[in-house]
Amino acid sequence: MLYTTIFWICFSLWIYALSVLKRAKLAGFYFIVGSIGLFATCIFLFQDYLVWLFSAVLCRSLRPIGLFTGLFSTVNDNLLILKRPLETLYVYLDFECSGVIETTAFFGLIMFYPLYTRKERSFLALTGIAYIYFANFFRILLIVGVLQMGGSTWFYFVHSILGRLFFYVLIITLYYNVFTRSHIVQKYLQRLEPGATLA
């Protein structure tokens, strides 16, 4: 109850801060405060549901591959079972594996990014969420493949190092293309001064 009360107080302050920053036309601060606030709101209000949803969709998407290859089987909506000659491995698709943090962080950033129109932000939010989902999908396949070949001794390396490196290279590529490419700067310059180009 205490945490809920604190959240709603913070949420009210966040809405008020956004209205002040928008009236003051402080786009940079509006972007920062808006993005952080939306990310925190999504995590606080929807974390349990989003983890269940993302894990269930991921697990059900992996199920046909497991059946076709015989590398693993799925149980419920959050568990992969890998049977090897001398051991059985259980891979739980929990909060960390679901991609919820990365998805909500991207969603918060794109929804307040000032250089895109509302329509562009909506389109990029949907395509970005799909991109993060598939990046995570292939990360889980990478983890499962290495574990099936090498066994449990490879778990730390493939989950904490190789899998994360693979996943975050893809995420950085997404962020580069959405937030920092030169065409965005070009677009901004043209809004300030029609006909302007980068030197």
Side-chain angles (χ1 to χ4, degrees), residues 57 63 84 136:
V57 171
R63 186 171 294 154
R84 303 185 72 248
N136 197 36

Side-chain angles (χ1 to χ4, degrees), residues 79-96:
L79 176 63
L80 306 178
I81 299 176
L82 291 75
K83 292 188 177 179
R84 303 185 72 248
L86 299 177
E87 62 183 346
T88 300
L89 305 176
Y90 299 91
V91 179
Y92 288 95
L93 302 179
D94 57 7
F95 179 69
E96 186 179 351

Side-chain angles (χ1 to χ4, degrees), residues 32 95 111 116 130 161-162 187:
I32 293 168
F95 179 69
M111 294 315 290
Y116 290 120
I161 299 173
L162 184 61
K187 182 176 182 176

